[in-house]
Amino acid sequence: MAVQLLNPDGLGTEVPYRHVAVSRGTRQVHVAGQIGAGSPEAPGDLADQVAEALRNVGRGLAGAGATFADVVRLTCYVTQWEGSHQLPEFLAGVDRVRGELGIGDALPPASLIGVQTLFEPHVRFEVEATAVLD
């Protein structure tokens, strides 16, 4: 395995991701921001958008010969984020595709960044991924 995910002592463990990723390999894969927004008429809820955006990341990874097991970093952007009480809705989207995409019991190191808007008003979620291959 090219990626080892860790939670070193002293770092919080009550988070849905690992704090540290250690990777071996020389080939990097960078997946641009992916969305799962539906249409302006039927944008879907946050969980729907998270699930579809992660599916799109999976497609991008596969195109480069990678999987979620190779991911060392996720950067997530979400609109209308009002605090951690929305975390269950975000995690519900992850759980919808966890088995389908081979996402482990915890995400790789990740940032969830609240933003005012993304490129279209109905887009609530966007995610970028970085992977390392042997």
Side-chain angles (χ1 to χ4, degrees), residues 63-90:
T67 70
F68 270 92
D70 303 306
V71 173
V72 297
R73 180 91 180 131
L74 293 173
T75 304
C76 305
Y77 305 93
V78 64
T79 65
Q80 304 171 27
W81 189 259
E82 298 170 2
S84 61
H85 68 277
Q86 292 174 295
L87 194 57
E89 189 179 2
F90 167 78

mmCIF file with all atom_site columns, all heavy atoms in Angstrom, residues 63-90:
data_model
loop_
_atom_site.group_PDB
_atom_site.id
_atom_site.type_symbol
_atom_site.label_atom_id
_atom_site.label_alt_id
_atom_site.label_comp_id
_atom_site.label_asym_id
_atom_site.label_entity_id
_atom_site.label_seq_id
_atom_site.pdbx_PDB_ins_code
_atom_site.Cartn_x
_atom_site.Cartn_y
_atom_site.Cartn_z
_atom_site.occupancy
_atom_site.B_iso_or_equiv
_atom_site.pdbx_formal_charge
_atom_site.auth_seq_id
_atom_site.auth_comp_id
_atom_site.auth_asym_id
_atom_site.auth_atom_id
_atom_site.pdbx_PDB_model_num
ATOM 1   N N   . GLY A 1 63 ? -9.282  7.200  -13.962 1.00 0.00 ? 63 GLY A N   1
ATOM 2   C CA  . GLY A 1 63 ? -8.685  7.588  -15.235 1.00 0.00 ? 63 GLY A CA  1
ATOM 3   C C   . GLY A 1 63 ? -7.171  7.665  -15.185 1.00 0.00 ? 63 GLY A C   1
ATOM 4   O O   . GLY A 1 63 ? -6.501  7.526  -16.202 1.00 0.00 ? 63 GLY A O   1
ATOM 5   N N   . ALA A 1 64 ? -6.631  7.875  -13.984 1.00 0.00 ? 64 ALA A N   1
ATOM 6   C CA  . ALA A 1 64 ? -5.174  7.952  -13.805 1.00 0.00 ? 64 ALA A CA  1
ATOM 7   C C   . ALA A 1 64 ? -4.616  6.656  -13.211 1.00 0.00 ? 64 ALA A C   1
ATOM 8   O O   . ALA A 1 64 ? -3.454  6.603  -12.838 1.00 0.00 ? 64 ALA A O   1
ATOM 9   C CB  . ALA A 1 64 ? -4.831  9.120  -12.889 1.00 0.00 ? 64 ALA A CB  1
ATOM 10  N N   . GLY A 1 65 ? -5.472  5.634  -13.075 1.00 0.00 ? 65 GLY A N   1
ATOM 11  C CA  . GLY A 1 65 ? -5.013  4.365  -12.525 1.00 0.00 ? 65 GLY A CA  1
ATOM 12  C C   . GLY A 1 65 ? -4.935  4.340  -11.007 1.00 0.00 ? 65 GLY A C   1
ATOM 13  O O   . GLY A 1 65 ? -4.205  3.545  -10.429 1.00 0.00 ? 65 GLY A O   1
ATOM 14  N N   . ALA A 1 66 ? -5.682  5.226  -10.349 1.00 0.00 ? 66 ALA A N   1
ATOM 15  C CA  . ALA A 1 66 ? -5.652  5.324  -8.885  1.00 0.00 ? 66 ALA A CA  1
ATOM 16  C C   . ALA A 1 66 ? -7.029  4.995  -8.308  1.00 0.00 ? 66 ALA A C   1
ATOM 17  O O   . ALA A 1 66 ? -8.022  4.910  -9.034  1.00 0.00 ? 66 ALA A O   1
ATOM 18  C CB  . ALA A 1 66 ? -5.235  6.736  -8.465  1.00 0.00 ? 66 ALA A CB  1
ATOM 19  N N   . THR A 1 67 ? -7.070  4.826  -6.986  1.00 0.00 ? 67 THR A N   1
ATOM 20  C CA  . THR A 1 67 ? -8.314  4.618  -6.254  1.00 0.00 ? 67 THR A CA  1
ATOM 21  C C   . THR A 1 67 ? -8.283  5.499  -5.009  1.00 0.00 ? 67 THR A C   1
ATOM 22  O O   . THR A 1 67 ? -7.272  6.150  -4.714  1.00 0.00 ? 67 THR A O   1
ATOM 23  C CB  . THR A 1 67 ? -8.480  3.148  -5.812  1.00 0.00 ? 67 THR A CB  1
ATOM 24  O OG1 . THR A 1 67 ? -7.517  2.862  -4.791  1.00 0.00 ? 67 THR A OG1 1
ATOM 25  C CG2 . THR A 1 67 ? -8.317  2.189  -6.981  1.00 0.00 ? 67 THR A CG2 1
ATOM 26  N N   . PHE A 1 68 ? -9.355  5.454  -4.237  1.00 0.00 ? 68 PHE A N   1
ATOM 27  C CA  . PHE A 1 68 ? -9.375  6.220  -2.989  1.00 0.00 ? 68 PHE A CA  1
ATOM 28  C C   . PHE A 1 68 ? -8.323  5.719  -2.004  1.00 0.00 ? 68 PHE A C   1
ATOM 29  O O   . PHE A 1 68 ? -7.907  6.461  -1.121  1.00 0.00 ? 68 PHE A O   1
ATOM 30  C CB  . PHE A 1 68 ? -10.771 6.211  -2.363  1.00 0.00 ? 68 PHE A CB  1
ATOM 31  C CG  . PHE A 1 68 ? -11.622 7.360  -2.832  1.00 0.00 ? 68 PHE A CG  1
ATOM 32  C CD1 . PHE A 1 68 ? -12.445 7.219  -3.932  1.00 0.00 ? 68 PHE A CD1 1
ATOM 33  C CD2 . PHE A 1 68 ? -11.577 8.597  -2.193  1.00 0.00 ? 68 PHE A CD2 1
ATOM 34  C CE1 . PHE A 1 68 ? -13.212 8.277  -4.388  1.00 0.00 ? 68 PHE A CE1 1
ATOM 35  C CE2 . PHE A 1 68 ? -12.335 9.660  -2.640  1.00 0.00 ? 68 PHE A CE2 1
ATOM 36  C CZ  . PHE A 1 68 ? -13.160 9.502  -3.735  1.00 0.00 ? 68 PHE A CZ  1
ATOM 37  N N   . ALA A 1 69 ? -7.862  4.495  -2.143  1.00 0.00 ? 69 ALA A N   1
ATOM 38  C CA  . ALA A 1 69 ? -6.797  3.979  -1.274  1.00 0.00 ? 69 ALA A CA  1
ATOM 39  C C   . ALA A 1 69 ? -5.490  4.727  -1.497  1.00 0.00 ? 69 ALA A C   1
ATOM 40  O O   . ALA A 1 69 ? -4.595  4.690  -0.640  1.00 0.00 ? 69 ALA A O   1
ATOM 41  C CB  . ALA A 1 69 ? -6.603  2.483  -1.500  1.00 0.00 ? 69 ALA A CB  1
ATOM 42  N N   . ASP A 1 70 ? -5.354  5.400  -2.618  1.00 0.00 ? 70 ASP A N   1
ATOM 43  C CA  . ASP A 1 70 ? -4.138  6.148  -2.950  1.00 0.00 ? 70 ASP A CA  1
ATOM 44  C C   . ASP A 1 70 ? -4.220  7.624  -2.564  1.00 0.00 ? 70 ASP A C   1
ATOM 45  O O   . ASP A 1 70 ? -3.247  8.357  -2.702  1.00 0.00 ? 70 ASP A O   1
ATOM 46  C CB  . ASP A 1 70 ? -3.863  6.049  -4.462  1.00 0.00 ? 70 ASP A CB  1
ATOM 47  C CG  . ASP A 1 70 ? -3.731  4.616  -4.933  1.00 0.00 ? 70 ASP A CG  1
ATOM 48  O OD1 . ASP A 1 70 ? -2.911  3.879  -4.349  1.00 0.00 ? 70 ASP A OD1 1
ATOM 49  O OD2 . ASP A 1 70 ? -4.459  4.235  -5.874  1.00 0.00 ? 70 ASP A OD2 1
ATOM 50  N N   . VAL A 1 71 ? -5.373  8.075  -2.086  1.00 0.00 ? 71 VAL A N   1
ATOM 51  C CA  . VAL A 1 71 ? -5.590  9.494  -1.787  1.00 0.00 ? 71 VAL A CA  1
ATOM 52  C C   . VAL A 1 71 ? -4.890  9.880  -0.489  1.00 0.00 ? 71 VAL A C   1
ATOM 53  O O   . VAL A 1 71 ? -5.045  9.224  0.539   1.00 0.00 ? 71 VAL A O   1
ATOM 54  C CB  . VAL A 1 71 ? -7.095  9.826  -1.717  1.00 0.00 ? 71 VAL A CB  1
ATOM 55  C CG1 . VAL A 1 71 ? -7.326  11.255 -1.244  1.00 0.00 ? 71 VAL A CG1 1
ATOM 56  C CG2 . VAL A 1 71 ? -7.737  9.611  -3.087  1.00 0.00 ? 71 VAL A CG2 1
ATOM 57  N N   . VAL A 1 72 ? -4.116  10.968 -0.551  1.00 0.00 ? 72 VAL A N   1
ATOM 58  C CA  . VAL A 1 72 ? -3.415  11.483 0.633   1.00 0.00 ? 72 VAL A CA  1
ATOM 59  C C   . VAL A 1 72 ? -4.021  12.779 1.148   1.00 0.00 ? 72 VAL A C   1
ATOM 60  O O   . VAL A 1 72 ? -3.682  13.223 2.249   1.00 0.00 ? 72 VAL A O   1
ATOM 61  C CB  . VAL A 1 72 ? -1.901  11.688 0.371   1.00 0.00 ? 72 VAL A CB  1
ATOM 62  C CG1 . VAL A 1 72 ? -1.224  10.370 0.066   1.00 0.00 ? 72 VAL A CG1 1
ATOM 63  C CG2 . VAL A 1 72 ? -1.653  12.696 -0.749  1.00 0.00 ? 72 VAL A CG2 1
ATOM 64  N N   . ARG A 1 73 ? -4.935  13.388 0.393   1.00 0.00 ? 73 ARG A N   1
ATOM 65  C CA  . ARG A 1 73 ? -5.482  14.673 0.815   1.00 0.00 ? 73 ARG A CA  1
ATOM 66  C C   . ARG A 1 73 ? -6.765  14.971 0.066   1.00 0.00 ? 73 ARG A C   1
ATOM 67  O O   . ARG A 1 73 ? -6.845  14.785 -1.148  1.00 0.00 ? 73 ARG A O   1
ATOM 68  C CB  . ARG A 1 73 ? -4.465  15.786 0.515   1.00 0.00 ? 73 ARG A CB  1
ATOM 69  C CG  . ARG A 1 73 ? -4.903  17.154 0.907   1.00 0.00 ? 73 ARG A CG  1
ATOM 70  C CD  . ARG A 1 73 ? -4.458  17.455 2.322   1.00 0.00 ? 73 ARG A CD  1
ATOM 71  N NE  . ARG A 1 73 ? -4.881  18.790 2.688   1.00 0.00 ? 73 ARG A NE  1
ATOM 72  C CZ  . ARG A 1 73 ? -5.511  19.053 3.815   1.00 0.00 ? 73 ARG A CZ  1
ATOM 73  N NH1 . ARG A 1 73 ? -5.750  18.117 4.685   1.00 0.00 ? 73 ARG A NH1 1
ATOM 74  N NH2 . ARG A 1 73 ? -5.864  20.277 4.108   1.00 0.00 ? 73 ARG A NH2 1
ATOM 75  N N   . LEU A 1 74 ? -7.777  15.435 0.816   1.00 0.00 ? 74 LEU A N   1
ATOM 76  C CA  . LEU A 1 74 ? -9.007  15.957 0.233   1.00 0.00 ? 74 LEU A CA  1
ATOM 77  C C   . LEU A 1 74 ? -9.183  17.390 0.713   1.00 0.00 ? 74 LEU A C   1
ATOM 78  O O   . LEU A 1 74 ? -8.965  17.682 1.889   1.00 0.00 ? 74 LEU A O   1
ATOM 79  C CB  . LEU A 1 74 ? -10.225 15.142 0.678   1.00 0.00 ? 74 LEU A CB  1
ATOM 80  C CG  . LEU A 1 74 ? -10.326 13.708 0.197   1.00 0.00 ? 74 LEU A CG  1
ATOM 81  C CD1 . LEU A 1 74 ? -11.496 13.011 0.880   1.00 0.00 ? 74 LEU A CD1 1
ATOM 82  C CD2 . LEU A 1 74 ? -10.486 13.650 -1.314  1.00 0.00 ? 74 LEU A CD2 1
ATOM 83  N N   . THR A 1 75 ? -9.586  18.258 -0.188  1.00 0.00 ? 75 THR A N   1
ATOM 84  C CA  . THR A 1 75 ? -9.949  19.619 0.182   1.00 0.00 ? 75 THR A CA  1
ATOM 85  C C   . THR A 1 75 ? -11.385 19.825 -0.268  1.00 0.00 ? 75 THR A C   1
ATOM 86  O O   . THR A 1 75 ? -11.694 19.712 -1.460  1.00 0.00 ? 75 THR A O   1
ATOM 87  C CB  . THR A 1 75 ? -9.019  20.654 -0.477  1.00 0.00 ? 75 THR A CB  1
ATOM 88  O OG1 . THR A 1 75 ? -7.663  20.348 -0.124  1.00 0.00 ? 75 THR A OG1 1
ATOM 89  C CG2 . THR A 1 75 ? -9.343  22.057 0.002   1.00 0.00 ? 75 THR A CG2 1
ATOM 90  N N   . CYS A 1 76 ? -12.257 20.089 0.708   1.00 0.00 ? 76 CYS A N   1
ATOM 91  C CA  . CYS A 1 76 ? -13.692 20.208 0.461   1.00 0.00 ? 76 CYS A CA  1
ATOM 92  C C   . CYS A 1 76 ? -14.135 21.643 0.698   1.00 0.00 ? 76 CYS A C   1
ATOM 93  O O   . CYS A 1 76 ? -13.738 22.271 1.677   1.00 0.00 ? 76 CYS A O   1
ATOM 94  C CB  . CYS A 1 76 ? -14.460 19.285 1.410   1.00 0.00 ? 76 CYS A CB  1
ATOM 95  S SG  . CYS A 1 76 ? -13.949 17.560 1.340   1.00 0.00 ? 76 CYS A SG  1
ATOM 96  N N   . TYR A 1 77 ? -14.973 22.122 -0.203  1.00 0.00 ? 77 TYR A N   1
ATOM 97  C CA  . TYR A 1 77 ? -15.549 23.460 -0.085  1.00 0.00 ? 77 TYR A CA  1
ATOM 98  C C   . TYR A 1 77 ? -17.056 23.302 -0.021  1.00 0.00 ? 77 TYR A C   1
ATOM 99  O O   . TYR A 1 77 ? -17.642 22.567 -0.821  1.00 0.00 ? 77 TYR A O   1
ATOM 100 C CB  . TYR A 1 77 ? -15.170 24.320 -1.290  1.00 0.00 ? 77 TYR A CB  1
ATOM 101 C CG  . TYR A 1 77 ? -13.688 24.401 -1.524  1.00 0.00 ? 77 TYR A CG  1
ATOM 102 C CD1 . TYR A 1 77 ? -13.049 23.511 -2.379  1.00 0.00 ? 77 TYR A CD1 1
ATOM 103 C CD2 . TYR A 1 77 ? -12.912 25.357 -0.867  1.00 0.00 ? 77 TYR A CD2 1
ATOM 104 C CE1 . TYR A 1 77 ? -11.680 23.578 -2.587  1.00 0.00 ? 77 TYR A CE1 1
ATOM 105 C CE2 . TYR A 1 77 ? -11.541 25.429 -1.064  1.00 0.00 ? 77 TYR A CE2 1
ATOM 106 C CZ  . TYR A 1 77 ? -10.935 24.531 -1.925  1.00 0.00 ? 77 TYR A CZ  1
ATOM 107 O OH  . TYR A 1 77 ? -9.580  24.591 -2.126  1.00 0.00 ? 77 TYR A OH  1
ATOM 108 N N   . VAL A 1 78 ? -17.700 23.981 0.923   1.00 0.00 ? 78 VAL A N   1
ATOM 109 C CA  . VAL A 1 78 ? -19.144 23.859 1.066   1.00 0.00 ? 78 VAL A CA  1
ATOM 110 C C   . VAL A 1 78 ? -19.748 25.233 1.325   1.00 0.00 ? 78 VAL A C   1
ATOM 111 O O   . VAL A 1 78 ? -19.195 26.037 2.067   1.00 0.00 ? 78 VAL A O   1
ATOM 112 C CB  . VAL A 1 78 ? -19.521 22.843 2.171   1.00 0.00 ? 78 VAL A CB  1
ATOM 113 C CG1 . VAL A 1 78 ? -19.051 23.292 3.521   1.00 0.00 ? 78 VAL A CG1 1
ATOM 114 C CG2 . VAL A 1 78 ? -21.002 22.561 2.180   1.00 0.00 ? 78 VAL A CG2 1
ATOM 115 N N   . THR A 1 79 ? -20.873 25.506 0.650   1.00 0.00 ? 79 THR A N   1
ATOM 116 C CA  . THR A 1 79 ? -21.593 26.756 0.879   1.00 0.00 ? 79 THR A CA  1
ATOM 117 C C   . THR A 1 79 ? -22.651 26.522 1.944   1.00 0.00 ? 79 THR A C   1
ATOM 118 O O   . THR A 1 79 ? -22.987 25.384 2.264   1.00 0.00 ? 79 THR A O   1
ATOM 119 C CB  . THR A 1 79 ? -22.262 27.264 -0.407  1.00 0.00 ? 79 THR A CB  1
ATOM 120 O OG1 . THR A 1 79 ? -23.259 26.338 -0.813  1.00 0.00 ? 79 THR A OG1 1
ATOM 121 C CG2 . THR A 1 79 ? -21.242 27.477 -1.520  1.00 0.00 ? 79 THR A CG2 1
ATOM 122 N N   . GLN A 1 80 ? -23.172 27.585 2.494   1.00 0.00 ? 80 GLN A N   1
ATOM 123 C CA  . GLN A 1 80 ? -24.220 27.528 3.509   1.00 0.00 ? 80 GLN A CA  1
ATOM 124 C C   . GLN A 1 80 ? -23.807 26.715 4.727   1.00 0.00 ? 80 GLN A C   1
ATOM 125 O O   . GLN A 1 80 ? -24.628 26.114 5.397   1.00 0.00 ? 80 GLN A O   1
ATOM 126 C CB  . GLN A 1 80 ? -25.524 26.956 2.915   1.00 0.00 ? 80 GLN A CB  1
ATOM 127 C CG  . GLN A 1 80 ? -26.020 27.717 1.709   1.00 0.00 ? 80 GLN A CG  1
ATOM 128 C CD  . GLN A 1 80 ? -27.172 27.010 1.026   1.00 0.00 ? 80 GLN A CD  1
ATOM 129 O OE1 . GLN A 1 80 ? -27.917 26.269 1.636   1.00 0.00 ? 80 GLN A OE1 1
ATOM 130 N NE2 . GLN A 1 80 ? -27.303 27.244 -0.274  1.00 0.00 ? 80 GLN A NE2 1
ATOM 131 N N   . TRP A 1 81 ? -22.506 26.661 4.994   1.00 0.00 ? 81 TRP A N   1
ATOM 132 C CA  . TRP A 1 81 ? -21.999 25.908 6.140   1.00 0.00 ? 81 TRP A CA  1
ATOM 133 C C   . TRP A 1 81 ? -22.147 26.767 7.381   1.00 0.00 ? 81 TRP A C   1
ATOM 134 O O   . TRP A 1 81 ? -21.599 27.855 7.456   1.00 0.00 ? 81 TRP A O   1
ATOM 135 C CB  . TRP A 1 81 ? -20.534 25.536 5.930   1.00 0.00 ? 81 TRP A CB  1
ATOM 136 C CG  . TRP A 1 81 ? -20.032 24.597 6.968   1.00 0.00 ? 81 TRP A CG  1
ATOM 137 C CD1 . TRP A 1 81 ? -19.263 24.905 8.053   1.00 0.00 ? 81 TRP A CD1 1
ATOM 138 C CD2 . TRP A 1 81 ? -20.246 23.191 7.034   1.00 0.00 ? 81 TRP A CD2 1
ATOM 139 N NE1 . TRP A 1 81 ? -18.986 23.783 8.784   1.00 0.00 ? 81 TRP A NE1 1
ATOM 140 C CE2 . TRP A 1 81 ? -19.588 22.714 8.187   1.00 0.00 ? 81 TRP A CE2 1
ATOM 141 C CE3 . TRP A 1 81 ? -20.940 22.280 6.239   1.00 0.00 ? 81 TRP A CE3 1
ATOM 142 C CZ2 . TRP A 1 81 ? -19.591 21.370 8.548   1.00 0.00 ? 81 TRP A CZ2 1
ATOM 143 C CZ3 . TRP A 1 81 ? -20.939 20.952 6.595   1.00 0.00 ? 81 TRP A CZ3 1
ATOM 144 C CH2 . TRP A 1 81 ? -20.266 20.513 7.740   1.00 0.00 ? 81 TRP A CH2 1
ATOM 145 N N   . GLU A 1 82 ? -22.893 26.287 8.326   1.00 0.00 ? 82 GLU A N   1
ATOM 146 C CA  . GLU A 1 82 ? -23.178 27.054 9.540   1.00 0.00 ? 82 GLU A CA  1
ATOM 147 C C   . GLU A 1 82 ? -22.604 26.400 10.787  1.00 0.00 ? 82 GLU A C   1
ATOM 148 O O   . GLU A 1 82 ? -22.980 26.750 11.895  1.00 0.00 ? 82 GLU A O   1
ATOM 149 C CB  . GLU A 1 82 ? -24.686 27.238 9.680   1.00 0.00 ? 82 GLU A CB  1
ATOM 150 C CG  . GLU A 1 82 ? -25.277 28.028 8.528   1.00 0.00 ? 82 GLU A CG  1
ATOM 151 C CD  . GLU A 1 82 ? -26.795 28.014 8.536   1.00 0.00 ? 82 GLU A CD  1
ATOM 152 O OE1 . GLU A 1 82 ? -27.389 27.423 9.454   1.00 0.00 ? 82 GLU A OE1 1
ATOM 153 O OE2 . GLU A 1 82 ? -27.376 28.597 7.618   1.00 0.00 ? 82 GLU A OE2 1
ATOM 154 N N   . GLY A 1 83 ? -21.735 25.440 10.620  1.00 0.00 ? 83 GLY A N   1
ATOM 155 C CA  . GLY A 1 83 ? -21.113 24.819 11.781  1.00 0.00 ? 83 GLY A CA  1
ATOM 156 C C   . GLY A 1 83 ? -21.221 23.311 11.776  1.00 0.00 ? 83 GLY A C   1
ATOM 157 O O   . GLY A 1 83 ? -21.821 22.708 10.889  1.00 0.00 ? 83 GLY A O   1
ATOM 158 N N   . SER A 1 84 ? -20.637 22.716 12.792  1.00 0.00 ? 84 SER A N   1
ATOM 159 C CA  . SER A 1 84 ? -20.494 21.267 12.824  1.00 0.00 ? 84 SER A CA  1
ATOM 160 C C   . SER A 1 84 ? -21.825 20.525 12.927  1.00 0.00 ? 84 SER A C   1
ATOM 161 O O   . SER A 1 84 ? -21.866 19.316 12.698  1.00 0.00 ? 84 SER A O   1
ATOM 162 C CB  . SER A 1 84 ? -19.575 20.864 13.968  1.00 0.00 ? 84 SER A CB  1
ATOM 163 O OG  . SER A 1 84 ? -20.124 21.272 15.202  1.00 0.00 ? 84 SER A OG  1
ATOM 164 N N   . HIS A 1 85 ? -22.927 21.218 13.220  1.00 0.00 ? 85 HIS A N   1
ATOM 165 C CA  . HIS A 1 85 ? -24.212 20.514 13.258  1.00 0.00 ? 85 HIS A CA  1
ATOM 166 C C   . HIS A 1 85 ? -24.609 19.998 11.874  1.00 0.00 ? 85 HIS A C   1
ATOM 167 O O   . HIS A 1 85 ? -25.483 19.148 11.747  1.00 0.00 ? 85 HIS A O   1
ATOM 168 C CB  . HIS A 1 85 ? -25.318 21.402 13.862  1.00 0.00 ? 85 HIS A CB  1
ATOM 169 C CG  . HIS A 1 85 ? -25.703 22.568 13.024  1.00 0.00 ? 85 HIS A CG  1
ATOM 170 N ND1 . HIS A 1 85 ? -24.994 23.751 13.024  1.00 0.00 ? 85 HIS A ND1 1
ATOM 171 C CD2 . HIS A 1 85 ? -26.717 22.719 12.139  1.00 0.00 ? 85 HIS A CD2 1
ATOM 172 C CE1 . HIS A 1 85 ? -25.562 24.584 12.167  1.00 0.00 ? 85 HIS A CE1 1
ATOM 173 N NE2 . HIS A 1 85 ? -26.601 23.993 11.627  1.00 0.00 ? 85 HIS A NE2 1
ATOM 174 N N   . GLN A 1 86 ? -23.941 20.496 10.813  1.00 0.00 ? 86 GLN A N   1
ATOM 175 C CA  . GLN A 1 86 ? -24.206 20.015 9.461   1.00 0.00 ? 86 GLN A CA  1
ATOM 176 C C   . GLN A 1 86 ? -23.308 18.838 9.089   1.00 0.00 ? 86 GLN A C   1
ATOM 177 O O   . GLN A 1 86 ? -23.492 18.234 8.040   1.00 0.00 ? 86 GLN A O   1
ATOM 178 C CB  . GLN A 1 86 ? -24.021 21.143 8.451   1.00 0.00 ? 86 GLN A CB  1
ATOM 179 C CG  . GLN A 1 86 ? -25.077 22.229 8.595   1.00 0.00 ? 86 GLN A CG  1
ATOM 180 C CD  . GLN A 1 86 ? -24.788 23.400 7.699   1.00 0.00 ? 86 GLN A CD  1
ATOM 181 O OE1 . GLN A 1 86 ? -23.793 24.093 7.877   1.00 0.00 ? 86 GLN A OE1 1
ATOM 182 N NE2 . GLN A 1 86 ? -25.649 23.620 6.732   1.00 0.00 ? 86 GLN A NE2 1
ATOM 183 N N   . LEU A 1 87 ? -22.371 18.495 9.963   1.00 0.00 ? 87 LEU A N   1
ATOM 184 C CA  . LEU A 1 87 ? -21.460 17.391 9.684   1.00 0.00 ? 87 LEU A CA  1
ATOM 185 C C   . LEU A 1 87 ? -22.190 16.080 9.415   1.00 0.00 ? 87 LEU A C   1
ATOM 186 O O   . LEU A 1 87 ? -21.798 15.340 8.510   1.00 0.00 ? 87 LEU A O   1
ATOM 187 C CB  . LEU A 1 87 ? -20.442 17.244 10.816  1.00 0.00 ? 87 LEU A CB  1
ATOM 188 C CG  . LEU A 1 87 ? -19.235 16.383 10.537  1.00 0.00 ? 87 LEU A CG  1
ATOM 189 C CD1 . LEU A 1 87 ? -18.461 16.869 9.324   1.00 0.00 ? 87 LEU A CD1 1
ATOM 190 C CD2 . LEU A 1 87 ? -18.324 16.358 11.763  1.00 0.00 ? 87 LEU A CD2 1
ATOM 191 N N   . PRO A 1 88 ? -23.263 15.733 10.141  1.00 0.00 ? 88 PRO A N   1
ATOM 192 C CA  . PRO A 1 88 ? -23.960 14.482 9.828   1.00 0.00 ? 88 PRO A CA  1
ATOM 193 C C   . PRO A 1 88 ? -24.468 14.404 8.382   1.00 0.00 ? 88 PRO A C   1
ATOM 194 O O   . PRO A 1 88 ? -24.427 13.341 7.766   1.00 0.00 ? 88 PRO A O   1
ATOM 195 C CB  . PRO A 1 88 ? -25.116 14.458 10.830  1.00 0.00 ? 88 PRO A CB  1
ATOM 196 C CG  . PRO A 1 88 ? -24.601 15.234 11.999  1.00 0.00 ? 88 PRO A CG  1
ATOM 197 C CD  . PRO A 1 88 ? -23.787 16.352 11.369  1.00 0.00 ? 88 PRO A CD  1
ATOM 198 N N   . GLU A 1 89 ? -24.944 15.529 7.838   1.00 0.00 ? 89 GLU A N   1
ATOM 199 C CA  . GLU A 1 89 ? -25.411 15.527 6.448   1.00 0.00 ? 89 GLU A CA  1
ATOM 200 C C   . GLU A 1 89 ? -24.247 15.293 5.485   1.00 0.00 ? 89 GLU A C   1
ATOM 201 O O   . GLU A 1 89 ? -24.365 14.536 4.519   1.00 0.00 ? 89 GLU A O   1
ATOM 202 C CB  . GLU A 1 89 ? -26.123 16.843 6.119   1.00 0.00 ? 89 GLU A CB  1
ATOM 203 C CG  . GLU A 1 89 ? -26.823 16.834 4.782   1.00 0.00 ? 89 GLU A CG  1
ATOM 204 C CD  . GLU A 1 89 ? -27.558 18.129 4.469   1.00 0.00 ? 89 GLU A CD  1
ATOM 205 O OE1 . GLU A 1 89 ? -27.513 19.091 5.261   1.00 0.00 ? 89 GLU A OE1 1
ATOM 206 O OE2 . GLU A 1 89 ? -28.185 18.164 3.400   1.00 0.00 ? 89 GLU A OE2 1
ATOM 207 N N   . PHE A 1 90 ? -23.097 15.923 5.769   1.00 0.00 ? 90 PHE A N   1
ATOM 208 C CA  . PHE A 1 90 ? -21.894 15.697 4.965   1.00 0.00 ? 90 PHE A CA  1
ATOM 209 C C   . PHE A 1 90 ? -21.496 14.222 5.035   1.00 0.00 ? 90 PHE A C   1
ATOM 210 O O   . PHE A 1 90 ? -21.252 13.573 4.015   1.00 0.00 ? 90 PHE A O   1
ATOM 211 C CB  . PHE A 1 90 ? -20.756 16.600 5.472   1.00 0.00 ? 90 PHE A CB  1
ATOM 212 C CG  . PHE A 1 90 ? -19.407 16.228 4.941   1.00 0.00 ? 90 PHE A CG  1
ATOM 213 C CD1 . PHE A 1 90 ? -19.025 16.575 3.658   1.00 0.00 ? 90 PHE A CD1 1
ATOM 214 C CD2 . PHE A 1 90 ? -18.511 15.524 5.731   1.00 0.00 ? 90 PHE A CD2 1
ATOM 215 C CE1 . PHE A 1 90 ? -17.776 16.229 3.164   1.00 0.00 ? 90 PHE A CE1 1
ATOM 216 C CE2 . PHE A 1 90 ? -17.262 15.174 5.250   1.00 0.00 ? 90 PHE A CE2 1
ATOM 217 C CZ  . PHE A 1 90 ? -16.890 15.520 3.967   1.00 0.00 ? 90 PHE A CZ  1
#
